[in-house]
Amino acid sequence: MGNAFLQMLWTLVLAVLLSTSSGEDATLLKEERGTMDGSVSQHYANLGAPQVILFCPISGNTSAAQWFLNGKAVPEAARKDGSLILRNVTLAQSGEYSCRDSEAGLPLRRIHLKLGYPPEKPDVRCWSASYPAASCNWALPTETHLPTVFFSTYRHGLEGQEYECILSVAEANFCSIPNIQMFTIDPYVLNVTAANPLGSATRLFPIFLEQILKPDPPEAVTVSPIRGEKKKLLLEWKPPLSWRFPEYFPLKYTIRYWREGSHGRKSIRPTEQTSFVLTGIRSGATYYVQVAAKDFLDNGEYSAWSSPASGTAWSDGS
Ligand SMILES: *[C@@H]1O[C@H](CO)[C@@H](O)[C@H](O)[C@H]1NC(C)=O
Ligand SMILES: *[C@@H]1O[C@H](CO)[C@@H](O)[C@H](O)[C@H]1NC(C)=O
Ligand SMILES: *[C@@H]1O[C@H](CO)[C@@H](O)[C@H](O)[C@H]1NC(C)=O
């Protein structure tokens, strides 16, 4: 009973002592609380930097400063003023550094050291699956190891008004331009700027719609027998749905086909129609057909091949 009372009394006395401790102790306690409530300062540095200096806010005997990385004592000794120098830093040296006053047994500062590179100019690629829109994506040539954000804008010519190139929500490295004038002398210029805590880099990329045009593959390709025709096949397809104005900007199509089991592929010269009758077909054999599309005026590139469709010519039995 007496012991329990004494214990309670001591707890009270200690609490009063702590709350009225001297100014310096109060600062240290505040620092400690600062480190304990999770406030960690961020420090960014270049990988391979010849030296990175981390300061320790130690007062009094500075040779009592001790440094830890992720809770383990660092091999480097603290300098006279308590700071830590890291040389030729590598990724393994990133992490949470803390400085302690070993005499007072107090944590003084926590620093999250993040190492990486400033971004390089992004590599940009643009394409258009239909007049008059374009899409672009980009990638960084080297990994930065740091969170990097992108800004994408474009303008028509050097003096034109600046517009936002609309980023899709899902990907931070893809944007689209809804409306590009064709056959213009001044190019559209896309500005893709990459930025992270160590720096930023801008790529200016000229866009000529006529050059980057590449339709999506034709759709709904079918291969059908023609009644009474043992050596012919009817091929039909549709322009890609993404090609928005086939009536104003027609497409031309090229076809390739092969007989099942044979390696040779034959192709048909371009046509503007969306159907074609293949002749010289071997009866009973299965034929595979693919179609690709290109702008009728020959701007840009051919689409990728459509997925193959197959069929067999009409026979007496069918
Ligand atoms: C300062 O701290 C170091 C390391 O803890 C100790 O060896 C040294 O005696 C201290 N100096 C004074 C003046 O307290
Ligand atoms: C750091 O790199 C420089 C240049 O490559 C070299 O001369 C130096 O010895 C290196 N220092 C350490 C501590 O590795
Ligand atoms: C490119 O974009 C960045 C970020 O939006 C901007 O700071 C920079 O001035 C632009 N550069 C040009 C040449 O438009």
Side-chain angles (χ1 to χ4, degrees):
M1 197 61 156
N3 269 351
F5 180 71
L6 267 181
Q7 249 178 24
M8 207 178 83
L9 199 68
W10 267 115
T11 314
L12 268 174
V13 169
L14 269 176
V16 171
L17 274 176
L18 280 173
S19 66
T20 59
S21 52
S22 75
E24 198 180 309
D25 286 352
T27 328
L28 290 175
L29 283 171
K30 211 159 114 197
E31 282 280 355
E32 183 176 13
R33 248 177 256 127
T35 62
M36 287 171 96
D37 71 10
S39 66
V40 182
S41 59
Q42 307 286 325
H43 193 105
Y44 296 94
N46 268 295
L47 269 170
Q51 63 173 35
V52 171
I53 304 178
L54 303 177
F55 290 100
C56 181
I58 190 164
S59 48
N61 183 357
T62 54
S63 52
Q66 269 188 334
W67 283 93
F68 298 87
L69 168 56
N70 300 327
K72 285 187 187 153
V74 298
E76 297 87 351
R79 291 198 305 172
K80 274 201 186 108
D81 65 354
S83 62
L84 177 69
I85 294 200
L86 304 172
R87 295 192 191 279
N88 296 354
V89 287
T90 65
L91 262 187
Q93 283 170 296
S94 51
E96 195 177 295
Y97 285 82
S98 54
C99 169
R100 285 178 75 88
D101 181 334
S102 61
E103 282 188 336
L106 287 176
L108 299 175
R109 169 162 293 174
R110 282 161 64 195
I111 302 168
H112 199 152
L113 179 63
K114 296 184 174 177
L115 298 165
Y117 298 107
E120 291 175 64
K121 285 183 180 189
D123 292 327
V124 176
R125 190 176 72 94
C126 294
W127 69 96
S128 167
S130 177
Y131 294 114
S135 302
C136 300
N137 69 6
W138 50 86
L140 290 174
T142 46
E143 167 70 60
T144 66
H145 302 288
L146 294 174
T148 302
V149 294
F150 296 99
F151 303 95
S152 51
T153 55
Y154 65 94
R155 59 174 92 224
H156 185 186
L158 292 173
E159 306 297 318
Q161 198 194 326
E162 191 172 65
Y163 298 95
E164 196 93 5
C165 184
I166 302 149
L167 289 165
S168 77
V169 183
E171 289 171 274
N173 68 340
F174 175 93
C175 76
S176 39
I177 303 175
N179 210 326
I180 293 188
Q181 273 178 43
M182 282 177 291
F183 313 115
T184 134
I185 296 159
D186 290 343
Y188 281 74
V189 179
L190 179 71
N191 169 344
V192 180
T193 297
N196 73 15
L198 293 177
S200 69
T202 294
R203 169 81 68 190
L204 298 176
F205 187 87
I207 301 174
F208 295 95
L209 192 61
E210 307 84 82
Q211 288 172 14
I212 61 167
L213 206 56
K214 184 180 181 185
D216 286 327
E219 293 168 18
V221 182
T222 57
V223 181
S224 327
I226 304 169
R227 186 159 183 82
E229 299 283 358
K230 292 183 183 174
K231 299 197 164 194
K232 289 182 183 171
L233 276 171
L234 174 64
L235 316 182
E236 290 170 296
W237 59 89
K238 292 203 169 89
L241 212 59
S242 56
W243 190 258
R244 291 199 278 170
F245 306 106
E247 58 281 24
Y248 301 120
F249 303 104
L251 289 166
K252 60 179 178 181
Y253 302 95
T254 185
I255 301 161
R256 71 176 183 190
Y257 67 100
W258 64 98
R259 183 162 46 82
E260 187 172 54
S262 80
H263 291 295
R265 288 176 188 204
K266 290 182 180 161
S267 40
I268 307 283
R269 62 181 167 66
T271 168
E272 286 157 50
Q273 311 303 317
T274 53
S275 65
F276 189 83
V277 174
L278 266 188
T279 55
I281 290 304
R282 191 182 288 188
S283 56
T286 300
Y287 282 81
Y288 291 89
V289 174
Q290 289 179 301
V291 187
K294 191 181 186 188
D295 168 59
F296 163 71
L297 296 174
D298 228 20
N299 289 317
E301 300 177 45
Y302 263 105
S303 73
W305 289 106
S306 68
S307 41
S310 65
T312 309
W314 184 84
S315 67
D316 292 330
S318 63

